Amino acid sequence: MTSLAVIAGVSVGWILAGTAAAALPVIAHLLARRGGRAVLFPAVWFVMQAAAEYARRRRLRDRLLLALRLLAILLLAVAFDRPTWSARPVPPDEKDGRDVVIILDASASMSRTHLGRSIWETACGEARQIISELDPSRDRAGVVFATTTSRTALPRLTGNFDALTRAVDDAEVTLEHADLSAAIALAASTPGDDSIESAERARRIVLVSDRSRGQWHDVAPPSGVDVTLRLIGPERTTPNLAIVDATVSPSRPVVGQAAIFSARIVNYGEAPRSPTITCAVEGRADQQRTASISADGATTVSFPVTFSQPGQYAATLSLVDERTTYDDVAAVVADARSSRRIAIITDAQSGDPESGLYYLLTALDPGERATWSPTLLPPRDLSTELLATFDAAVIINAGMLDAPSLDALHGAIAVGLGVLWIIDSNPAHVAMGTFEAIDPRSIALPVVLGDAGFQRLTSRDAARLSRGSFDAPALRLLEGGAGESVLETAALRVSPASVSDTGFELIGFDSGGPFLAWSRFGDGRIATMHADVAPASCSLVKSPLFPVLLHEIAAFVAPGEHHRTSSLVGEPILVRSREGITLQPPVTDGETRQVAVLPGIAGAPPRIQDEPAKAPGILRYFDADGQPVAVAAANIDERETDTRVLSADEIAARFQSPSLAGAGDAAASVLGTRPIELWPWLIVGVLGLLLIESLVANRRRISSESEDDA
């Protein structure tokens, strides 16, 4: 494969401007020309001969000075256009031509400015240059715009390069994160031109992107794809402050209880920073904090807020950074409620006073000001979507859950649901063992179940509780005498187990093994209670401390600070409507665009489904009566805030993973071209020309003085 040296980025406008500027010294030169005076007496003929010789030498110097000045002006005009030089690999000349697909990274980082021009404008210039080098009679080309969901400029490759160039001119950069792997796959699979035989044509993919670290850490293109990287933008890290991971804990706070709005502030820079962060709830800037962040460090800032009325409250956390601004604000929505929803997964009847379910419901819903609002769910009705509408769940008197129910439970816990699983029978003991076998690699159960199975004990051998970790967050209210009262519990039906490597024991049996344990499970938490809590089998349920223990465990496993309540720019929006209202369709975004309304499940409010947000911020939805029905938040993907850069070699090394067989053996073959900015060299050339011009002009002045003296 040969290489072709190419200078790109020179526009006609700057050439014309340079030509116009170059006309100025020409005009000055013509005006400065002086004609000789006629001398009529013979005595001065020898003077005329000497003057003619001097005039010839002066004309040569004047023309040289004029040429130096013209060339300096033209080079300066070209330097302002920031041209680049590159050695581009040229594939073997094939009689059938070749297919070229250009991927333009249209992510948020490309909207930044570099050398007075947006990186996106530079990328589009690269695309236009590549298209201009193709032969429309033989070659075919296409363009893919890389975003969260990449798209092609035209449905298939084309030889109509004018239409392709217009598509590039009309395209706009987004504030989304670019999935470069998906963009490469789309470029590799874009249909060719039906008018020509393209089965054996060479296809090259040219990826134009910046060097931001966040773009490249998860790139995994398909194997056997010929990809050339065209890297543009800053080669050094641009200092930046960014707000990421805006959360509210709990995401569905109860009226009268504090909710904590938090955000992580990241400093991408080599100097410490002390920004002031403002928290504004529904547009009212109530609180401010000043954070001290070390170089290339991060810190979390939190703001407590208490709501007096149910509703959806939008909050923004912001800072002031004069550099990159699209990541200086993060939004989050708190869905304040009069109570929190908890699913009770059971096959038992709630009215049986001899069952553990009866006492559990009584403990969760003691009166009008109950924190939790329980809903009974038969195990056969479970789905991941249904469970996602609840804050927490308790499994009690459910027996042996079938495979679909266990799969639904597994999926819901993995994405944030908190579960208390009361192992109160041998079928429940077996069900948990089956649950563990769904995906052993992702399971993080707090216990390892005993092989003996569920056990029945006599009153003489009743299992009693030992001192627990009452200083743990889940049991902090049971410190002191309250905890000692819990230890008087006796259990006759127990599920023997041992604490796993990922679990934490909260309360244990005096004979060994956990009575209550918990662990993290994906984004959720799972707690296990290893005894039948029916009053005939466990004395704990009749204790006044049982409601306290149950409320603390439910609050502990419910989604907290890791539960994301906002969408990312470029992702579809799905948000629940406010509680206690009746929607009057159609629902709009406050203007004229209608959005979809999905019915609520198991008493949950309806959900609003909308297309992806184009920018970070707050989105509000209204029904036909103008009633506000939902609030949503959209934020920048954290990867787009990382302004640290990777070198070309680092990117090439990541690009050439083992799955990239056939993409080349050396970094240079993958990078193809590494454009060199020519404007610094042009400026050096201008300075050199001006130095030479100064020396020639000074020599002329000295020579003129000598002639005058003679």
Side-chain angles (χ1 to χ4, degrees):
M1 182 176 292
T2 60
S3 295
L4 175 66
V6 178
I7 296 178
V10 181
S11 63
V12 176
W14 280 106
I15 294 297
L16 293 177
T19 303
L24 297 178
V26 175
I27 296 173
H29 175 78
L30 295 176
L31 293 176
R33 294 182 63 184
R34 294 179 300 173
R37 292 184 302 169
V39 180
L40 302 178
F41 52 93
V44 298
W45 283 111
F46 72 95
V47 177
M48 294 178 60
Q49 292 176 353
E53 179 65 24
Y54 168 70
R56 283 194 298 271
R57 293 197 304 269
R58 188 179 64 183
R59 279 196 298 271
L60 290 175
R61 285 195 296 268
D62 288 347
R63 289 169 181 171
L64 177 60
L65 288 172
L66 178 62
L68 290 173
R69 291 164 182 168
L70 290 176
L71 184 58
I73 292 175
L74 289 174
L75 290 181
L76 186 62
V78 173
F80 273 106
D81 207 22
R82 298 183 301 278
T84 59
W85 178 91
S86 59
R88 303 177 181 176
V90 179
D93 188 18
E94 299 181 6
K95 62 179 182 180
D96 294 332
R98 57 198 169 113
D99 293 341
V100 176
V101 184
I102 306 164
I103 300 176
L104 288 179
D105 180 355
S107 63
S109 66
M110 299 289 284
S111 66
R112 294 177 296 150
T113 300
H114 178 57
L115 300 177
R117 173 192 290 182
S118 77
I119 304 175
W120 171 252
E121 292 176 358
T122 303
C124 291
E126 291 282 338
R128 287 188 287 267
Q129 180 67 31
I130 295 171
I131 295 172
S132 68
E133 296 168 3
L134 300 177
D135 183 353
S137 65
R138 300 168 57 250
D139 300 329
R140 296 296 179 263
V143 174
V144 171
F145 300 109
T147 57
T148 302
T149 306
S150 300
R151 63 179 181 87
T152 57
L154 298 175
R156 57 180 63 249
L157 304 189
T158 181
N160 186 352
F161 296 158
D162 290 338
L164 202 58
T165 302
R166 286 194 299 270
V168 172
D169 294 339
D170 294 339
E172 296 180 353
V173 69
T174 72
L175 294 180
E176 303 176 15
H177 175 68
D179 186 344
L180 296 183
S181 297
I184 294 172
L186 178 60
S189 61
T190 301
D193 191 341
D194 288 340
S195 63
I196 58 176
E197 182 62 39
S198 59
E200 300 300 327
R201 291 167 61 88
R203 173 170 296 199
R204 164 166 301 182
I205 297 174
V206 181
L207 173 55
V208 185
S209 180
D210 64 354
R211 299 171 172 84
S212 296
R213 183 183 300 267
Q215 302 288 28
W216 300 100
H217 77 280
D218 56 353
V219 175
S223 61
V225 178
D226 180 12
V227 181
T228 299
L229 302 183
R230 195 72 65 86
L231 301 178
I232 58 178
E235 297 184 10
R236 294 184 178 180
T237 297
T238 303
N240 181 40
L241 282 175
I243 293 185
V244 298
D245 285 345
T247 59
V248 56
S249 177
S251 58
R252 301 160 190 163
V254 177
V255 170
Q257 298 181 0
I260 307 298
F261 290 95
S262 303
R264 189 160 55 90
I265 317 301
V266 185
N267 177 18
Y268 298 112
E270 298 178 353
R273 303 287 295 274
S274 298
T276 298
I277 295 88
T278 301
C279 177
V281 180
E282 290 299 324
R284 188 176 66 250
D286 291 330
Q287 304 179 60
Q288 287 188 332
R289 299 277 191 278
T290 298
S292 297
I293 314 174
S294 61
D296 203 21
T299 189
T300 299
V301 179
S302 299
F303 302 88
V305 178
T306 301
F307 302 104
S308 59
Q309 297 292 331
Q312 293 180 337
Y313 297 88
T316 57
L317 294 91
S318 60
L319 55 80
V320 176
D321 181 23
E322 66 279 4
R323 297 173 178 87
T324 305
T325 58
Y326 58 72
D327 54 13
D328 292 348
V329 178
V332 65
V333 176
D335 191 0
R337 302 179 176 187
S338 55
S339 62
R340 306 182 74 180
R341 302 182 76 233
I342 185 168
I344 310 299
I345 302 171
T346 183
D347 264 337
Q349 298 297 320
S350 60
D352 183 4
E354 299 300 321
S355 67
L357 174 63
Y358 177 86
Y359 285 88
L360 181 137
L361 292 176
T362 303
L364 285 176
D365 192 9
E368 294 181 357
R369 302 192 63 180
T371 302
W372 295 93
S373 176
T375 300
L376 299 182
L377 295 179
R380 59 184 175 276
D381 293 342
L382 297 185
S383 68
T384 301
E385 294 76 13
L386 171 59
L387 292 171
T389 65
F390 291 90
D391 299 290
V394 177
I395 305 174
I396 183 172
N397 300 148
M400 180 63 194
L401 301 179
D402 59 16
S405 299
L406 292 174
D407 287 340
L409 194 63
H410 183 280
I413 301 175
V415 297
L417 181 69
V419 170
L420 170 60
W421 196 333
I422 301 177
I423 308 174
D424 48 18
S425 65
N426 193 64
H429 187 94
V430 175
M432 174 160 281
T434 306
F435 180 80
E436 185 177 14
I438 292 177
D439 187 359
R441 295 171 300 175
S442 65
I443 292 298
L445 288 177
V447 296
V448 177
L449 296 176
D451 296 332
F454 199 78
Q455 293 183 356
R456 299 172 181 266
L457 306 175
T458 64
S459 57
R460 185 178 60 182
D461 301 327
R464 298 189 180 276
L465 306 185
S466 62
R467 178 168 296 279
S469 301
F470 294 129
D471 58 344
L475 302 179
R476 197 151 289 162
L477 290 181
L478 297 179
E479 289 184 284
E484 296 297 331
S485 299
V486 171
L487 298 182
E488 298 176 1
T489 297
L492 300 179
R493 292 162 54 87
V494 298
S495 173
S498 59
V499 179
S500 69
D501 293 338
T502 58
F504 301 89
E505 181 180 295
L506 297 176
I507 304 176
F509 290 112
D510 58 359
S511 58
F515 167 74
L516 182 64
W518 79 277
S519 68
R520 298 188 183 277
F521 187 100
D523 289 339
R525 293 175 176 175
I526 183 169
T528 55
M529 185 175 289
H530 295 262
D532 181 3
V533 294
S537 303
C538 184
S539 59
L540 179 63
V541 294
K542 292 186 177 181
S543 167
L545 293 177
F546 181 62
V548 177
L549 176 64
L550 195 60
H551 277 75
E552 289 301 299
I553 292 297
F556 178 70
V557 300
E561 66 275 12
H562 297 289
H563 186 65
R564 185 159 64 94
T565 58
S566 61
S567 301
L568 297 178
V569 174
E571 288 183 349
I573 293 173
L574 184 63
V575 60
R576 282 191 290 186
S577 63
R578 296 170 51 198
E579 283 190 323
I581 62 172
T582 302
L583 295 181
Q584 299 297 329
V587 174
T588 66
D589 62 352
E591 298 178 355
T592 58
R593 187 174 56 83
Q594 296 186 17
V595 298
V597 179
L598 305 179
I601 303 175
R607 293 171 294 169
I608 307 300
Q609 187 177 47
D610 194 7
E611 61 187 25
K614 296 181 179 179
I618 303 296
L619 300 95
R620 301 181 186 273
Y621 300 95
F622 304 85
D623 66 5
D625 295 336
Q627 175 184 216
V629 297
V631 183
N635 290 314
I636 288 287
D637 192 305
E638 179 179 350
R639 290 169 289 187
E640 292 301 315
T641 69
D642 191 347
T643 54
R644 295 172 297 178
V645 299
L646 296 175
S647 68
D649 291 336
E650 287 178 306
I651 294 175
R654 296 186 182 210
F655 216 77
Q656 289 177 301
S657 61
S659 63
L660 257 178
D665 297 324
S669 64
V670 174
L671 288 169
T673 176
R674 298 170 65 173
I676 299 174
E677 295 279 358
L678 293 181
W679 67 268
W681 302 100
L682 293 173
I683 294 297
V684 171
V686 170
L687 295 176
L689 290 173
L690 293 178
L691 177 61
I692 296 173
E693 187 270 348
S694 177
L695 293 174
V696 173
N698 187 56
R699 181 181 179 85
R700 172 189 171 185
R701 182 180 60 80
I702 295 173
S703 177
S704 297
E705 292 176 352
S706 300
E707 293 288 346
D708 293 341
D709 293 341

